[in-house]
Short mmCIF file of all heavy atoms in Angstrom, two decimals:
data_model
loop_
_atom_site.label_atom_id
_atom_site.label_comp_id
_atom_site.label_asym_id
_atom_site.label_seq_id
_atom_site.Cartn_x
_atom_site.Cartn_y
_atom_site.Cartn_z
N SER A 728 -58.48 101.89 -71.33
CA SER A 728 -59.51 102.87 -70.94
C SER A 728 -59.11 104.29 -71.34
O SER A 728 -59.97 105.11 -71.69
CB SER A 728 -59.75 102.79 -69.43
OG SER A 728 -58.57 103.13 -68.72
N LYS A 729 -57.83 104.59 -71.34
CA LYS A 729 -57.38 105.90 -71.80
C LYS A 729 -57.69 106.10 -73.27
O LYS A 729 -58.09 107.19 -73.70
CB LYS A 729 -55.88 106.05 -71.55
CG LYS A 729 -55.50 106.30 -70.10
CD LYS A 729 -54.00 106.44 -69.95
CE LYS A 729 -53.63 106.67 -68.48
NZ LYS A 729 -52.15 106.77 -68.31
N LYS A 730 -57.51 105.04 -74.06
CA LYS A 730 -57.83 105.14 -75.50
C LYS A 730 -59.31 105.39 -75.71
O LYS A 730 -59.72 106.23 -76.53
CB LYS A 730 -57.41 103.86 -76.21
CG LYS A 730 -55.92 103.70 -76.39
CD LYS A 730 -55.62 102.43 -77.18
CE LYS A 730 -54.12 102.26 -77.39
NZ LYS A 730 -53.81 101.03 -78.15
N VAL A 731 -60.16 104.67 -74.97
CA VAL A 731 -61.61 104.84 -75.11
C VAL A 731 -62.03 106.25 -74.71
O VAL A 731 -62.84 106.92 -75.39
CB VAL A 731 -62.34 103.77 -74.27
CG1 VAL A 731 -63.85 104.05 -74.27
CG2 VAL A 731 -62.05 102.39 -74.81
N LYS A 732 -61.48 106.76 -73.62
CA LYS A 732 -61.81 108.10 -73.16
C LYS A 732 -61.33 109.16 -74.14
O LYS A 732 -62.01 110.18 -74.38
CB LYS A 732 -61.20 108.35 -71.79
CG LYS A 732 -61.86 107.58 -70.66
CD LYS A 732 -61.16 107.84 -69.33
CE LYS A 732 -61.82 107.04 -68.21
NZ LYS A 732 -61.14 107.26 -66.90
N ALA A 733 -60.17 108.94 -74.76
CA ALA A 733 -59.66 109.89 -75.75
C ALA A 733 -60.57 109.95 -76.98
O ALA A 733 -60.85 111.04 -77.52
CB ALA A 733 -58.24 109.51 -76.15
N LYS A 734 -61.09 108.79 -77.43
CA LYS A 734 -62.02 108.78 -78.56
C LYS A 734 -63.31 109.52 -78.22
O LYS A 734 -63.86 110.28 -79.03
CB LYS A 734 -62.32 107.34 -78.96
CG LYS A 734 -61.19 106.64 -79.68
CD LYS A 734 -61.61 105.24 -80.08
CE LYS A 734 -60.48 104.53 -80.81
NZ LYS A 734 -60.86 103.15 -81.20
N LYS A 735 -63.80 109.30 -77.01
CA LYS A 735 -65.03 109.96 -76.59
C LYS A 735 -64.85 111.47 -76.51
O LYS A 735 -65.72 112.25 -76.94
CB LYS A 735 -65.48 109.39 -75.25
CG LYS A 735 -66.90 109.78 -74.85
CD LYS A 735 -67.29 109.14 -73.52
CE LYS A 735 -67.46 107.63 -73.70
NZ LYS A 735 -67.95 107.01 -72.43
N ARG A 736 -63.70 111.89 -75.96
CA ARG A 736 -63.44 113.33 -75.88
C ARG A 736 -63.33 113.96 -77.27
O ARG A 736 -63.80 115.07 -77.52
CB ARG A 736 -62.14 113.57 -75.09
CG ARG A 736 -62.28 113.43 -73.59
CD ARG A 736 -61.10 114.09 -72.88
NE ARG A 736 -59.81 113.58 -73.35
CZ ARG A 736 -59.17 112.56 -72.81
NH1 ARG A 736 -59.71 111.91 -71.78
NH2 ARG A 736 -58.02 112.17 -73.29
N ARG A 737 -62.72 113.24 -78.19
CA ARG A 737 -62.59 113.76 -79.55
C ARG A 737 -63.95 113.91 -80.22
O ARG A 737 -64.21 114.90 -80.92
CB ARG A 737 -61.70 112.80 -80.36
CG ARG A 737 -61.49 113.21 -81.80
CD ARG A 737 -60.72 114.50 -81.89
NE ARG A 737 -60.56 114.91 -83.27
CZ ARG A 737 -60.08 116.09 -83.65
NH1 ARG A 737 -59.70 116.97 -82.73
NH2 ARG A 737 -59.96 116.40 -84.92
N LYS A 738 -64.82 112.94 -79.98
CA LYS A 738 -66.15 113.01 -80.58
C LYS A 738 -66.96 114.17 -80.00
O LYS A 738 -67.64 114.92 -80.73
CB LYS A 738 -66.87 111.68 -80.33
CG LYS A 738 -68.14 111.52 -81.12
CD LYS A 738 -68.70 110.12 -80.94
CE LYS A 738 -69.96 109.94 -81.79
NZ LYS A 738 -70.53 108.58 -81.63
N LEU A 739 -66.92 114.33 -78.66
CA LEU A 739 -67.63 115.43 -78.03
C LEU A 739 -67.06 116.79 -78.46
O LEU A 739 -67.81 117.77 -78.65
CB LEU A 739 -67.56 115.30 -76.51
CG LEU A 739 -68.32 114.12 -75.89
CD1 LEU A 739 -68.02 114.02 -74.40
CD2 LEU A 739 -69.81 114.26 -76.14
N HIS A 740 -65.77 116.85 -78.62
CA HIS A 740 -65.15 118.09 -79.09
C HIS A 740 -65.62 118.44 -80.50
O HIS A 740 -65.86 119.62 -80.83
CB HIS A 740 -63.64 117.97 -79.04
CG HIS A 740 -62.91 119.18 -79.52
ND1 HIS A 740 -62.81 120.34 -78.77
CD2 HIS A 740 -62.27 119.44 -80.70
CE1 HIS A 740 -62.14 121.26 -79.44
NE2 HIS A 740 -61.79 120.72 -80.63
N GLY A 741 -65.74 117.40 -81.34
CA GLY A 741 -66.22 117.66 -82.71
C GLY A 741 -67.66 118.12 -82.74
O GLY A 741 -68.04 118.96 -83.58
N LEU A 742 -68.51 117.56 -81.84
CA LEU A 742 -69.92 117.97 -81.81
C LEU A 742 -70.08 119.38 -81.24
O LEU A 742 -70.95 120.15 -81.67
CB LEU A 742 -70.73 116.98 -80.97
CG LEU A 742 -70.87 115.57 -81.56
CD1 LEU A 742 -71.57 114.64 -80.57
CD2 LEU A 742 -71.63 115.60 -82.88
N SER A 743 -69.27 119.71 -80.25
CA SER A 743 -69.38 121.04 -79.64
C SER A 743 -68.74 122.14 -80.49
O SER A 743 -69.08 123.32 -80.34
CB SER A 743 -68.76 121.03 -78.25
OG SER A 743 -67.38 120.69 -78.35
N ASN A 744 -67.86 121.82 -81.36
CA ASN A 744 -67.18 122.80 -82.22
C ASN A 744 -67.34 122.38 -83.69
O ASN A 744 -66.39 121.90 -84.32
CB ASN A 744 -65.69 122.91 -81.86
CG ASN A 744 -65.47 123.33 -80.42
OD1 ASN A 744 -65.89 124.41 -80.04
ND2 ASN A 744 -64.81 122.47 -79.64
N PRO A 745 -68.55 122.58 -84.27
CA PRO A 745 -68.73 122.20 -85.69
C PRO A 745 -68.01 123.17 -86.61
O PRO A 745 -67.79 124.33 -86.28
CB PRO A 745 -70.25 122.27 -85.86
CG PRO A 745 -70.69 123.26 -84.85
CD PRO A 745 -69.77 123.14 -83.68
#
Side-chain angles (χ1 to χ4, degrees):
S728 63
K729 284 180 181 179
K730 287 183 179 180
V731 173
K732 289 178 181 179
K734 286 182 180 179
K735 192 178 290 185
R736 283 198 305 269
R737 179 65 182 171
K738 191 173 182 180
L739 292 173
H740 179 75
L742 293 174
S743 60
N744 300 299

